[in-house]
Amino acid sequence: MPAIDDLFRDLRAKQRKALMPFVTAGDPNPEFTERLIGEVVGRGASLCEIGIPYSDPIADGPVIQASYVRALGAGVRLNEILAMLGRVAPKVAAPLVTMVSYAIVYRHGVQKYLDEARQAGLAGLIVPDLPVDEAARLAEQCRAADLSLVQLVTPTTPRERAVRIAAASSGFLYYVSVAGITGERTELPADLVDNVAWLREQTELPICIGFGISRPEHVRLLSPVADGLIVGSAIVRRVAEAAEKPADQVIAEVGDYVASLLAALPA
Amino acid sequence: MPTEPKTAASLPDAEGRFGAFGGRYVPETLVRALDELAIAYDEARRDEAFQKELAELRFNYVGRPSPLYHARRLSEHCGGAQIWLKREDLNHTGSHKINNTLGQALLTMRMGKRRVIAETGAGQHGVATATACARFGLECVVYMGAEDIRRQAPNVFSMKLLGAEVRHVDTGSKTLRDAINDAMRDWMSSVESTHYILGSVVGPHPFPRIVRDFQSVIGQEAIEQSQQRIGRLPDLVVACVGGGSNAAGMFYPFVAETDVPLVGVEAGGRGPTPGDHASPLSYGSPGVLHGSFSYVMQNDDGQTDDVHSISAGLDYPGVGPEHSYWKDSGRVTYTACEDGAALAAFDMLAKTEGILPALESSHAVAKAMELAAERPQSEAIVVCLSGRGDKDAAEIARLREG
Ligand SMILES: Cc1ncc(COP(=O)(O)O)c(C=O)c1O
């Protein structure tokens, strides 16, 4: 049984919600990312999303784009990232999931990527540029490899299609809070809670909300309707300061920030 | 795999596939808009009123049909086959790009959208989009890489004069690829009110098909004009390939005419070393970029390579999926022309015929000159002269001084 399924069964039994940080692999270097993953999981994150840097990310705003540019500019390669994840995965008590463009998965070799992900101890993947219509074969391969393939529903997704995506997704269903790109937002859409509540009635699959979430009040607003909340740009922005400050300090600051969001989850 | 002309002509399939190529590799956020676009286009295509309006615009606004011109002095200089130029440079706004933007502007109106975004490399698609938007009263934002803003400055002024907002793109290589990234990101947030007028036969389904269809007027006219002027179909057809829209428009109507060889010319830049050229069909391999599966220049990790061409409109690491299909099926031959040969062709066409070609089109002219020299005078080569070169004059002068 994939590790993500275990996680959410456990959380649901305890009536708890997941906080899921997103970090960019290799920003500013793989060793830093390794420590950062340890830190956020140590603080209580339930799952960690690892962004694999990509040269042409369409769904990402300036903060995550810039982190990809820094990581690729420093010369990080996919093999190094997978090796780093292979070191950290057995040490942390949380499933790790890569957020990775299909351009990368395809070029590396789809089955090879899945085999190596599994070997590294990863729990699944999110492929943000592979809509459900193109994902059937990958979903099958993931199932065979005991990996989850998390698929996304957005505010522009028609309702029948959302139901179809939920049926095809595994691990959890990623609900994108806004029609737009990643990035911190002060205000979340007014109908977000209602839309997730509707989706909640269509599927047993855990639903996690991402894009724009950055503040404790967002966590308080959304945790009643979701199984988990994903926080990306707010963390990556703090890591961007790693070049100027000592790494220990940046890692501790991200840890404190994650703790502040965890504190806003229902006990 | 040999081409079956009848089936090849009816591609893509419902999933937007040309054989293995094409498809839709985009964030879920864009899927509904792409579905709506596919439906709107399908209805428009069969709507007589739409076709009539487009035909009227082509005739009275663009100035179509564009002439098929026998370049006798250029042919004599090459000393072989006759070179005939399909004069897309004489269209309103100076290139083939207007064929697509008017069609897509009509679709924008049909879908009830009032805002348009576009990317541009050479600035020709930006100008053609700004023009169509002015003509229909649509708001227009054009994304353009900072390097291209520098080397295609005249077109930047034109876009502004036409009422468009030009947004500088400072990421990555600051060229066409980065402009497409930013246009797509804009569309991610604006998709409900905005249509993205993509400028070539690239991107997710249905763009490759829509752009090809709107550009196919080039090949349709060329077939008719060849029959009338040459008395038969040409012996060879040549077009330059950036994203591949002028080539697709020229080639598509010829695909079923299996006796006519088709040659696509990519930007060979400084040579075949990765980073020195923009020739994915000649030197790349299949992968995913900008929403479709096609030949692309990437490293082993799937990261897009930097590419180079003297011509901003060809300076792109990807290519339309139908070209990948035509390459693998053997229907079209693809080859690369280097910067120096393109510049020499630019000069020769200027001096022998009094025509300044766009640097993009100069790549096709260079290859046609080379092929003409090897063939008898009885043969006729039709070249797509996709645009005019006024935009390039200052950059060429700068390159020669430096
Ligand atoms: C005159 C001209 N020809 C060719 C191209 C290349 O585009 P495509 O390959 O889509 O025709 C451009 C693009 O800007 C252009 O301006």
Side-chain angles (χ1 to χ4, degrees):
Chain A
M1 158 132 352
I4 304 178
D5 297 355
D6 288 340
L7 169 72
F8 283 104
R9 183 159 1 77
D10 196 45
L11 287 171
R12 280 181 170 180
K14 295 178 183 151
Q15 294 189 303
R16 307 210 39 182
K17 302 298 167 88
L19 188 78
M20 301 151 67
F22 167 99
V23 302
T24 294
D27 175 30
N29 56 62
E31 296 68 41
F32 181 94
T33 310
E34 185 174 349
R35 292 182 57 203
L36 189 65
I37 294 167
E39 173 74 15
V40 297
V41 175
R43 296 282 188 138
S46 298
L47 181 150
C48 195
E49 255 181 55
I50 320 293
I52 307 295
Y54 176 47
S55 53
D56 299 83
I58 297 304
D60 282 304
V63 170
I64 291 178
Q65 273 177 52
S67 75
Y68 286 177
V69 169
R70 283 192 299 274
L72 293 172
V76 75
R77 301 298 306 256
L78 182 60
N79 290 339
E80 263 178 279
I81 292 172
L82 290 170
M84 177 272 287
L85 293 174
R87 288 193 300 274
V88 69
K91 288 192 239 157
V92 294
L96 306 183
V97 173
T98 55
M99 170 82 95
V100 57
S101 168
Y102 193 68
I104 295 173
V105 176
Y106 178 83
R107 178 52 57 114
H108 192 67
V110 176
Q111 193 56 51
K112 184 163 176 255
Y113 187 92
L114 299 182
D115 291 345
E116 291 175 12
R118 201 183 139 84
Q119 246 164 30
L122 304 182
L125 57 164
I126 306 171
V127 188
D129 49 7
L130 195 71
V132 67
D133 325 88
E134 302 278 1
R137 168 131 179 79
L138 182 65
E140 209 175 283
Q141 287 172 284
C142 284
R143 213 165 11 252
D146 215 23
L147 292 165
S148 299
L149 179 64
V150 174
Q151 303 205 37
L152 301 95
V153 169
T154 75
T156 62
T157 307
R159 291 197 153 180
E160 330 79 76
R161 183 175 164 88
V163 171
R164 196 147 62 78
I165 295 171
S169 188
S170 58
F172 62 90
L173 186 61
Y174 192 134
Y175 189 81
V176 176
S177 69
V178 293
I181 52 181
T182 57
E184 296 171 64
R185 285 169 176 81
T186 334
E187 298 276 325
L188 295 173
D191 54 1
L192 174 57
V193 168
D194 287 347
N195 285 337
V196 178
W198 175 83
L199 199 54
R200 173 80 293 153
E201 285 164 25
Q202 316 305 314
T203 176
E204 282 299 306
L205 206 61
I207 299 174
C208 301
I209 307 176
F211 281 43
I213 298 171
S214 58
R215 304 175 168 213
E217 57 265 33
H218 298 156
V219 174
R220 275 189 287 273
L221 174 74
L222 299 176
S223 51
V225 287
D227 292 273
L229 302 174
I230 300 153
V231 183
S233 295
I235 289 171
V236 174
R237 176 169 60 80
R238 286 170 169 82
V239 172
E241 294 162 8
E244 275 113 67
K245 296 186 193 171
D248 288 343
Q249 189 188 334
V250 173
I251 287 172
E253 280 174 17
V254 173
D256 290 347
Y257 170 68
V258 167
S260 75
L261 298 178
L262 280 160
L265 286 176
Chain B
M1 178 174 50
T3 306
E4 267 293 312
K6 288 291 170 298
T7 54
S10 64
L11 293 175
D13 66 14
E15 276 74 50
R17 293 278 170 183
F18 304 88
F21 299 103
R24 226 183 232 178
Y25 298 88
V26 291
E28 170 64 19
T29 301
L30 298 180
V31 170
R32 190 173 76 190
L34 294 170
D35 280 339
E36 285 169 359
L37 177 61
I39 290 167
Y41 175 66
D42 227 42
E43 287 169 1
R45 199 163 55 85
R46 293 169 215 193
D47 178 353
E48 257 174 58
F50 178 90
Q51 294 299 350
K52 209 172 138 219
E53 189 171 5
L54 188 57
E56 195 271 338
L57 282 165
R58 282 173 175 161
F59 188 79
N60 290 315
Y61 189 69
V62 179
R64 301 205 72 92
S66 67
L68 182 66
Y69 168 72
H70 186 183
R72 289 177 208 273
R73 276 176 39 86
L74 181 69
S75 307
E76 265 166 40
H77 167 82
C78 299
Q82 307 156 36
I83 298 175
W84 293 73
L85 303 174
K86 179 62 177 159
R87 299 289 307 273
E88 292 299 299
D89 62 315
L90 293 178
N91 293 339
H92 180 41
T93 73
S95 83
H96 68 293
K97 297 289 184 185
I98 192 84
N99 301 329
N100 171 41
T101 61
L102 286 174
Q104 287 206 50
L106 287 177
L107 285 178
T108 307
M109 304 291 286
R110 230 179 139 89
M111 292 186 292
K113 293 181 170 181
R114 304 296 310 173
R115 178 175 180 266
V116 160
I117 54 173
E119 83 297 338
T120 196
Q124 290 300 116
H125 176 60
V127 168
T129 305
T131 298
C133 288
R135 170 67 182 71
F136 291 102
L138 299 166
E139 185 189 341
C140 180
V141 173
V142 179
Y143 289 87
M144 188 169 188
E147 166 64 6
D148 293 339
I149 285 179
R150 183 194 66 69
R151 59 180 164 168
Q152 306 280 246
N155 279 338
V156 180
F157 293 122
S158 300
M159 284 184 264
K160 290 179 183 165
L161 291 172
L162 290 160
E165 180 193 339
V166 181
R167 293 200 183 152
H168 294 222
V169 178
D170 270 311
T171 49
S173 51
K174 304 178 172 54
T175 57
L176 181 54
R177 158 194 161 201
D178 310 284
I180 295 181
N181 284 341
D182 267 18
M184 289 224 184
R185 287 178 193 128
D186 179 313
W187 209 31
M188 287 282 290
S189 308
S190 62
V191 63
E192 278 159 292
S193 63
T194 297
H195 178 56
Y196 179 13
I197 299 192
L198 195 42
S200 193
V201 288
V202 300
H205 174 65
F207 283 112
R209 189 254 164 103
I210 291 178
V211 179
R212 176 202 71 195
D213 286 357
F214 285 143
Q215 291 294 0
S216 289
V217 65
I218 303 173
Q220 286 153 5
E221 288 176 5
I223 286 180
E224 234 173 80
Q225 291 165 324
S226 298
Q227 306 277 23
Q228 286 166 7
R229 306 280 310 286
I230 308 170
R232 57 189 161 83
L233 292 179
D235 299 287
L236 190 63
V237 177
V238 183
C240 70
V241 180
S245 67
N246 85 87
M250 177 60 102
F251 294 165
Y252 184 64
F254 280 101
V255 161
E257 310 290 347
T258 46
D259 294 340
V260 181
L262 308 171
V263 177
V265 186
E266 296 188 294
R270 294 178 289 250
T273 310
D276 279 352
H277 61 81
S279 306
L281 291 164
S282 302
Y283 307 120
S285 50
V288 171
L289 176 67
H290 290 151
S292 83
F293 178 64
S294 193
Y295 278 78
V296 61
M297 296 306 306
Q298 285 180 338
N299 75 6
D300 295 343
D301 280 357
Q303 311 292 349
T304 311
D305 281 338
D306 282 341
V307 292
H308 161 81
S309 169
I310 195 172
S311 121
L314 304 185
D315 196 356
Y316 180 63
V319 68
E322 193 160 20
H323 287 289
S324 294
Y325 173 74
W326 286 335
K327 172 189 160 71
D328 279 12
S329 65
R331 179 62 188 93
V332 180
T333 307
Y334 294 90
T335 163
C337 163
E338 296 187 4
D339 289 346
L343 280 170
F346 178 97
D347 285 337
M348 195 48 68
L349 190 60
K351 289 189 179 128
T352 56
E353 297 289 351
I355 296 171
L356 292 184
L359 272 179
E360 291 77 18
S361 325
S362 301
H363 288 69
V365 174
K367 188 53 68 176
M369 288 168 61
E370 190 187 311
L371 294 167
E374 297 164 1
R375 289 166 167 258
Q377 216 182 332
S378 57
E379 291 199 0
I381 301 178
V382 167
V383 186
C384 188
L385 196 72
S386 56
R388 68 175 185 225
D390 314 47
K391 69 184 178 61
D392 296 309
E395 177 68 358
I396 290 174
R398 188 191 70 84
L399 288 168
R400 295 217 161 123
E401 279 155 24

